[in-house]
Amino acid sequence: MRKDLERLTQEVLEAKEKLVGLRKGTLVDDAFERVGYLTAKNFKVLNYPRDPLVAFNPSAVVKDGRVFMFTRFIFDYYGYVSSIGLSTFELEKLENACCLNLSARLVIYPTTVHEVKRGAEDPRAHLYGDGFLVFYTAVGLKDGDLWPKQGVAVLDENGEVVEKSVLRLGDVFPPSWKNTTMIRPEGRGLVILTRPWIEGHEVIWRATVDAEEWVVDPSTMRVTLVPERFELKVGVSTTPVKIGSDEYLIGWHAIMKDDLSYRNGLAVVNGDGELLGISEYLLYPKYIEELYGDRPMVIYGCGLVKHKEYIYWIGGVADYGIGIYRAPLDKVMEHIKWLR
């Protein structure tokens, strides 16, 4: 494994030489329309005897004309332990979703040592067989400190968990692993974009994960995107939306060095996770609903849904609520800088 880590570290250094400078940090004003906001008051949790204090960072997929939304809930501030709840509503109601009162059922919550400290955070949900595949951050402990691992849960068509695990990189668990999304299945594996911590580097990798053992083979890993000089981190935010025969639209986020705000852009990748095109910042905190909360100055856009001529971006705001944003797909694509 040591040789693998050395090769991956060298690949990061070479990728930074090629990819840093790809984006200029431009703020594209009003690329997305603000549709509205949801808070914990919009949700009634059915299978737990407490009311959530906050509801944020949702992922969303569409199946049989319905939106299935996986939302991060927190019920207390003492331990700040998270769970993930499932709500569903008709796709046609998406443009008025901020006015809905939604029921939710907790489907992913602490049940293993990997989640014993802060539970299950920040889902990325996918259609998978007849049910769902959800990547999430499982937060446990190591030597008394937080240890975020890349959790994965397989759910059946009723939203019941049938398998739960965490990803491994070869035979090790990195010190931190977040931000994984599936591009497509491949044999017994999945092509993914992901962000493990490797020798001090956090970049977006494309890779293949064994969907039976949940192990990423280091030999399949290649760098897709790196932080710019003005960013602390960059990560994959959303489930991809297929927009062509071999083109997938995904959302990404960056944490800024100067003010620590979260800003968001879109990218196009192919079925192997290779970067085809990328935008500047299209969505960023601008109004009080997005600037002020438990974690100020954050839009964390975890859900991407295509409906009619629009792309809807559904994201957490300031770690307390949910923002719903939309833009015509053709207008969004005008902001993509094509690389190949």
Side-chain angles (χ1 to χ4, degrees):
M1 191 63 197
R2 171 49 52 186
K3 289 185 178 180
D4 288 323
L5 293 176
E6 290 174 355
R7 182 191 68 79
L8 295 176
T9 300
Q10 183 60 36
E11 174 143 344
V12 171
L13 298 176
E14 293 174 0
K16 286 184 175 181
E17 289 292 323
K18 298 176 182 178
L19 296 176
V20 169
L22 190 61
R23 294 175 287 113
K24 306 305 179 186
T26 305
L27 298 176
V28 180
D29 197 29
D30 297 326
F32 278 81
E33 170 193 359
R34 268 76 175 169
V35 176
Y37 303 92
L38 293 162
T39 70
K41 293 180 180 179
N42 294 89
F43 293 89
K44 174 62 177 177
V45 176
L46 302 178
N47 62 333
Y48 188 60
R50 301 162 78 184
D51 294 324
L53 298 179
V54 290
F56 61 112
N57 293 4
S59 186
V61 292
V62 176
K63 180 180 180 182
D64 299 330
R66 298 187 67 82
V67 176
F68 289 79
M69 190 164 70
F70 293 79
T71 301
R72 178 179 172 185
F73 290 109
I74 294 177
F75 294 83
D76 76 283
Y77 285 110
Y78 177 73
Y80 207 70
V81 180
S82 295
S83 56
I84 296 167
L86 173 59
S87 306
T88 182
F89 55 90
E90 294 176 9
L91 179 59
E92 293 296 328
K93 294 182 178 180
L94 183 57
E95 61 190 57
N96 297 309
C98 57
C99 301
L100 297 178
N101 291 312
L102 299 170
S103 61
R105 185 166 51 86
L106 300 188
V107 292
I108 303 174
Y109 45 87
T111 59
T112 74
V113 68
H114 306 298
E115 304 144 342
V116 73
K117 183 58 179 175
R118 287 200 177 171
E121 303 177 350
D122 302 342
R124 273 77 167 169
H126 309 75
L127 299 180
Y128 192 65
D130 294 329
F132 308 93
L133 173 73
V134 181
F135 290 107
Y136 64 97
T137 304
V139 187
L141 285 170
K142 183 178 183 181
D143 300 327
D145 294 326
L146 297 180
W147 191 1
K149 297 178 183 175
Q150 185 56 74
V152 57
V154 179
L155 289 71
D156 66 16
E157 63 272 22
N158 299 313
E160 299 290 342
V161 173
V162 297
E163 183 182 0
K164 212 176 189 186
S165 189
V166 291
L167 299 191
R168 297 198 318 273
L169 180 59
D171 57 0
V172 303
F173 295 110
S176 175
W177 198 339
K178 299 182 179 183
N179 295 176
T180 298
T181 194
M182 177 182 73
I183 303 298
R184 60 178 176 86
E186 184 177 69
R188 62 175 271 171
L190 310 172
V191 177
I192 61 172
L193 296 175
T194 190
R195 197 189 72 190
W197 187 99
I198 295 176
E199 302 294 279
H201 300 282
E202 290 183 292
V203 303
I204 299 175
W205 299 85
R206 56 187 184 272
T208 301
V209 59
D210 185 315
E212 295 181 12
E213 301 295 331
W214 299 112
V215 175
V216 172
D217 181 351
S219 70
T220 68
M221 296 176 65
R222 300 292 183 271
V223 176
T224 291
L225 190 63
V226 303
E228 294 290 353
R229 292 186 177 90
F230 43 82
E231 297 168 342
L232 286 174
K233 293 182 181 181
V234 65
V236 179
S237 304
T238 72
T239 303
V241 171
K242 192 170 185 179
I243 58 172
S245 60
D246 192 36
E247 294 178 338
Y248 300 82
L249 188 68
I250 62 166
W252 54 268
H253 63 273
I255 306 175
M256 308 308 297
K257 282 184 177 179
D258 59 354
D259 64 3
L260 302 182
S261 66
Y262 277 67
R263 299 175 184 174
N264 303 262
L266 292 169
V268 179
V269 299
N270 65 16
D272 294 323
E274 297 173 317
L275 188 64
L276 304 180
I278 194 164
S279 77
E280 298 288 343
Y281 303 127
L282 302 180
L283 186 61
Y284 51 92
K286 185 176 180 181
Y287 299 104
I288 189 171
E289 294 91 344
E290 303 151 358
L291 293 166
Y292 181 35
D294 293 346
R295 200 312 191 168
M297 298 187 294
V298 170
I299 297 178
Y300 192 70
C302 296
L304 205 62
V305 171
K306 184 178 183 298
H307 178 46
K308 298 179 180 177
E309 72 272 26
Y310 289 101
I311 283 290
Y312 284 81
W313 208 338
I314 307 169
V317 292
D319 280 16
Y320 78 90
I322 296 168
I324 300 176
Y325 310 89
R326 73 175 181 182
L329 176 59
D330 59 347
K331 296 296 183 182
V332 164
M333 298 307 294
E334 292 176 2
H335 297 295
I336 298 295
K337 174 184 178 181
W338 293 98
L339 309 177
R340 59 176 75 184

